Amino acid sequence: MDTKYFGQFAKKLKDKFNLPSVAVGVYQYGESFSQVYGQAQADSLYPLASISKTFLATAICQLADKEVIDLDTPLKHYWPDFKMVDKYVEEHLTFRDALSHQSGLPAHDLMRFTNMNKYDLTLKEKVEHVAYLEPNHELRYKMQYSNLIFAVATYVMEQVIGDDYGHYERENLLEPLKLHNTFINHHEAPFNRVVKPYIRQDEKNKEVPFIAPGKVGGASSMLATISDLLTWAKFQLKTQKTTKNEITAQRYLPQSIMTPSRAYGSANFANYGLGMMMEDYRGHKYFYHSGSYIGYCSFLGFVPDLDLAFVMTTNMDSTDAIFAWAYNTIDHALGVTDTDWLNKVKTIMDNKIAAKEAKIKQLKGDNYISVPAKAELLGDYQNKGYGLVTLSAKDDQLVVTIGKWRYPVIKNNNGLMFIEERLYEHELLPITISKNKVEILTEPALGKKTVFNKVEVII
């Protein structure tokens, strides 16, 4: 293995994409390489974000192979108190549907944070709130990525086994693979080893506070070193190649249709299996899962035909650098040199960011103003699904608390109001405020705002 080549490319990647640190790993034909560059160490821990889903899906399929659960039995059979707005979904949603994102529910990701306003909900409380979230499609109509439905699958798994999902994953996945530097949740990890998170703002790296993802179970909770993550990628590669008739093998078979990532790999097809993405690249089947969270980005991929597995983590928010690493690694294994992946991905990413910023600027207008904080508007507002948002004053200007953060409310020259949310989705959220309610566009896929009613204060 040409470790010098991978090291040089990783350094160029770090500089090109302004990454505070980057950790990379590659395995092929019995040889492994992993290294960390920048402001981190070999034993530094990186949040894996949605790569956590590959662990949960593996655990659930393992239980299915043991005939402890059935992937196609409705979740309500295992948890009779399961509730959804769509009663057909409530009666028929299965582990297979949940692990392939076909619940009919859009992401509703902001709910992960609004419900952290006063205190962080337990996993049980969070999935009970899912019961009030509106769907936008029927069950199995299309794939819609959902952290919250993975949280539901986690909780139902716990009801089946009568144990914490993390305890099961530790005993049946982490310990057998000797993943001693992989942690189920942030509070279990030595915090001094967790790399500091950054976002890119105004063409500068800005350090932000570490924010836990909340109780969403196996959707987005894990942390690991780069060497442990590479071991996990090798395990996934081996499992895909060696399982045939086992239920676990279904993890790597198409379950729902995704939009191909043509901007980068020019894929002809793209599918989601059970906690695993897949597409074609240069005539090869290619499996992967990415993860992104406030201040972090991670990637795991493998190509069975080439006996190739690769991983990357960084403490930079929402960077497409992960795709430059992935496609360049596959090209190197193929001996192909016709694409400058650093420049191609950076150009496309910069154009996407510029387009998004242009849209934000257009919505704000040239003469936008801060909204004054009128006393009668201040207080808590509640939605049964989303929980609380709070309107308060900062320097006499109106701010909205979503989770742990306060965001300013602005008004453009057309009189439209927005929450300027710059930490998670980096966007403007349309908001309407009246005396007793607040309406926020929490989920664009619904095409309407979510209503939060004012909480009466009893004296």
Side-chain angles (χ1 to χ4, degrees):
M1 178 178 291
D2 190 351
T3 58
K4 183 178 179 181
Y5 169 82
F6 289 120
Q8 289 175 340
F9 187 83
K11 291 175 184 176
K12 292 177 183 177
L13 184 78
K14 174 186 170 299
D15 294 339
K16 187 75 172 181
F17 288 86
N18 306 294
L19 308 177
S21 74
V22 61
V24 297
V26 181
Y27 162 86
Q28 190 177 31
Y29 299 130
E31 294 186 82
S32 297
F33 165 78
S34 63
Q35 189 60 265
V36 179
Y37 303 91
Q39 302 167 18
Q41 307 297 325
D43 68 344
S44 291
L45 296 171
Y46 289 85
L48 302 183
S50 284
I51 291 178
S52 303
K53 293 179 176 67
T54 66
F55 288 83
L56 183 73
T58 299
I60 289 175
C61 286
Q62 193 179 77
L63 288 167
D65 276 321
K66 295 175 182 177
E67 299 184 350
V68 176
I69 63 168
D70 183 279
L71 292 184
D72 298 307
T73 294
L75 298 184
K76 198 171 183 69
H77 170 78
Y78 300 112
W79 181 35
D81 291 335
F82 177 52
K83 298 287 191 299
M84 293 285 279
V85 168
D86 186 321
K87 295 307 171 185
Y88 183 85
V89 176
E90 179 182 310
E91 294 291 336
H92 294 87
L93 184 75
T94 66
F95 278 111
R96 187 184 302 277
D97 300 323
L99 298 182
S100 58
H101 300 291
Q102 297 186 86
S103 68
L105 204 69
H108 284 292
D109 249 359
L110 203 66
M111 181 270 229
R112 296 166 62 186
F113 305 108
T114 51
N115 273 310
M116 294 164 62
N117 200 335
K118 295 295 184 180
Y119 71 100
D120 193 8
L121 302 184
T122 64
L123 176 62
K124 181 177 187 291
E125 289 171 328
K126 192 150 288 186
V127 300
E128 287 173 341
H129 276 249
V130 172
Y132 298 100
L133 300 179
E134 288 192 51
N136 65 331
H137 288 297
E138 296 176 354
L139 178 67
R140 302 175 195 132
Y141 177 79
K142 67 181 293 187
M143 178 202 167
Q144 295 187 109
Y145 198 87
S146 175
N147 288 297
L148 296 171
I149 293 299
F150 257 73
V152 169
T154 305
Y155 184 73
V156 177
M157 170 189 165
E158 291 185 339
Q159 305 319 295
V160 175
I161 64 175
D163 196 2
D164 177 78
Y165 84 98
H167 184 252
Y168 179 89
E169 288 187 6
R170 256 184 242 99
E171 284 197 344
N172 295 274
L173 298 175
L174 306 191
E175 291 177 8
L177 292 171
K178 296 181 172 57
L179 298 178
H180 302 309
N181 287 291
T182 301
F183 300 88
I184 301 296
N185 290 293
H186 73 282
H187 58 267
E188 300 170 2
F191 193 73
N192 63 322
R193 288 172 54 194
V194 179
V195 291
K196 296 178 180 179
Y198 288 83
I199 62 172
R200 187 76 175 165
Q201 188 171 321
D202 299 325
E203 298 186 1
K204 295 179 181 179
N205 289 355
K206 178 183 177 182
E207 184 182 341
V208 294
F210 175 85
I211 300 162
K215 305 295 193 305
V216 287
S220 178
S221 60
M222 301 182 72
L223 305 93
T225 59
I226 194 64
S227 59
D228 266 24
L229 185 58
L230 182 59
T231 298
W232 180 244
K234 289 190 289 185
F235 172 75
Q236 293 295 315
L237 170 65
K238 179 182 178 181
T239 303
Q240 193 281 330
K241 293 173 72 173
T242 58
T243 53
K244 303 298 180 186
N245 301 317
E246 300 93 331
I247 293 171
T248 296
Q250 297 177 31
R251 289 201 55 229
Y252 310 99
L253 296 176
Q255 305 289 332
S256 56
I257 299 172
M258 293 170 54
T259 302
S261 56
R262 291 187 176 276
Y264 293 143
S266 302
N268 295 296
F269 86 93
N271 295 99
Y272 201 91
L274 301 173
M276 185 62 69
M277 301 176 187
M278 60 198 75
E279 61 185 46
D280 66 309
Y281 179 66
R282 296 193 188 270
H284 297 271
K285 191 180 290 186
Y286 157 45
F287 298 88
Y288 65 98
H289 212 296
S290 58
S292 184
Y293 189 64
I294 300 168
Y296 301 102
C297 218
S298 55
F299 195 88
L300 174 155
F302 56 97
V303 183
D305 290 353
L306 305 174
D307 195 37
L308 175 69
F310 46 90
V311 292
M312 174 184 155
T313 55
T314 181
N315 53 336
M316 175 56 71
D317 187 81
S318 302
T319 175
D320 284 7
I322 55 176
F323 300 112
W325 174 255
Y327 288 115
N328 188 78
T329 300
I330 301 173
D331 276 3
H332 183 75
L334 290 169
V336 176
T337 59
D338 62 2
T339 304
D340 181 349
W341 284 106
L342 289 176
N343 283 317
K344 179 176 182 176
V345 174
K346 187 65 163 58
T347 299
I348 293 173
M349 187 181 83
D350 287 348
N351 288 340
K352 285 195 303 183
I353 293 172
K356 191 169 189 175
E357 289 300 320
K359 182 179 179 181
I360 289 174
K361 184 177 180 180
Q362 181 183 21
L363 287 172
K364 289 171 72 171
D366 295 328
N367 301 309
Y368 71 90
I369 59 171
S370 298
V371 175
K374 296 180 181 178
E376 64 268 23
L377 299 179
L378 307 185
D380 290 333
Y381 294 76
Q382 187 170 40
N383 174 276
K384 284 186 176 181
Y386 274 81
L388 291 176
V389 296
T390 303
L391 268 58
S392 58
K394 181 181 180 182
D395 299 327
D396 296 324
Q397 304 302 315
L398 191 65
V399 293
V400 178
T401 300
I402 297 176
K404 306 295 185 183
W405 321 283
R406 296 200 299 172
Y407 298 111
V409 180
I410 62 171
K411 182 187 292 187
N412 68 13
N413 51 342
N414 293 320
L416 299 176
M417 290 191 293
F418 301 92
I419 301 169
E420 189 163 12
E421 188 272 295
R422 283 286 183 176
L423 196 57
Y424 182 57
E425 293 290 351
H426 317 291
E427 62 184 2
L428 298 182
L429 302 177
I431 180 172
T432 305
I433 304 172
S434 58
K435 185 177 180 181
N436 294 310
K437 69 179 180 181
V438 169
E439 298 175 74
I440 303 172
L441 189 63
T442 58
E443 178 46 74
L446 290 178
K448 61 179 181 180
K449 296 186 179 81
T450 299
V451 177
F452 295 79
N453 293 303
K454 195 164 189 178
V455 178
E456 293 185 18
V457 179
I458 300 175
I459 301 175

